[in-house]
Amino acid sequence: MPNILIKVPQGSFTYEQQALLSEAITKEAVEVEQMGSDPRQRSLCWTLIEEVPSGSWKCGGVDVSAQAIPCIIQVKIPSGVLSKAMRDDYVQRLHQAVSRSKETNDHRVIMTSIILEEINDGFWGANGAIWSLTDFAQAAGYRHLQGLRGE
């Protein structure tokens, strides 16, 4: 049940490319997190793409927009969902999803900064209530966490 926030420089991706990027990021998140296949479970994966004015985005104090497309991805996920191997896989898959989303004739390099932020149990509210890892496992259908029991 991740919340995925993606920041890119304005105009880096067309509306259609952003739609493809959102779909690709969602697909990778659902697979890595081993969410259930029910559309209600998949709908718990939220993705937001935010465009930042390109002139305000600097890398090392330099505007690199002619050579690169920088992208920050923040993934907020309940603590206990991902193993180290899953985190490694997640970062690689998200980078690849961004890379596949640019135009084939766009020769700029994709630069990603991906932050996986695990939210401690008792610090994530959903629909007006605090949820535990057990609640998330049940709602999202995490296949690898189906043995968890409620308190």
Side-chain angles (χ1 to χ4, degrees), residues 96-115:
Q96 290 170 348
V98 175
S99 295
R100 288 190 310 266
S101 297
K102 74 174 185 167
E103 291 281 347
T104 54
N105 62 350
D106 186 341
H107 299 291
R108 294 176 294 171
V109 66
I110 295 290
M111 297 170 38
T112 59
S113 178
I114 301 169
I115 303 156

Side-chain angles (χ1 to χ4, degrees), residues 39-56:
R40 292 173 295 182
Q41 294 166 327
R42 184 183 170 104
S43 73
L44 297 175
C45 180
W46 292 8
T47 304
L48 172 69
I49 298 176
E50 179 182 355
E51 290 188 309
V52 177
S54 56
S56 66

Side-chain angles (χ1 to χ4, degrees), residues 4-115:
I4 304 173
L5 311 171
I6 305 164
K7 293 188 180 206
V8 295
Q10 192 170 29
S12 296
F13 297 100
T14 65
Y15 178 79
E16 292 79 14
Q17 288 172 302
Q18 287 184 32
L20 290 173
L21 175 58
S22 182
E23 183 179 319
I25 293 287
T26 298
K27 177 184 176 288
E28 299 302 345
V30 166
E31 287 181 16
V32 171
E33 293 182 32
Q34 301 179 30
M35 293 176 71
S37 58
D38 186 307
R40 292 173 295 182
Q41 294 166 327
R42 184 183 170 104
S43 73
L44 297 175
C45 180
W46 292 8
T47 304
L48 172 69
I49 298 176
E50 179 182 355
E51 290 188 309
V52 177
S54 56
S56 66
W57 196 306
K58 308 281 192 240
C59 296
V62 177
D63 180 358
V64 296
S65 61
Q67 298 87 21
I69 301 173
C71 178
I72 295 173
I73 302 174
Q74 295 175 291
V75 181
K76 297 179 186 286
I77 186 163
S79 184
V81 171
L82 300 176
S83 66
K84 180 185 180 330
M86 291 166 85
R87 288 191 300 269
D88 291 343
D89 191 31
Y90 217 152
V91 167
Q92 182 180 41
R93 286 175 177 232
L94 293 181
H95 177 80
Q96 290 170 348
V98 175
S99 295
R100 288 190 310 266
S101 297
K102 74 174 185 167
E103 291 281 347
T104 54
N105 62 350
D106 186 341
H107 299 291
R108 294 176 294 171
V109 66
I110 295 290
M111 297 170 38
T112 59
S113 178
I114 301 169
I115 303 156

Side-chain angles (χ1 to χ4, degrees), residues 110-142:
I110 295 290
M111 297 170 38
T112 59
S113 178
I114 301 169
I115 303 156
L116 303 175
E117 183 179 353
E118 296 181 308
I119 308 300
N120 291 331
D121 230 10
F123 286 88
W124 193 315
N127 300 324
I130 296 294
W131 281 29
S132 68
L133 182 57
T134 305
D135 298 319
F136 286 112
Q138 181 180 357
Y142 293 129

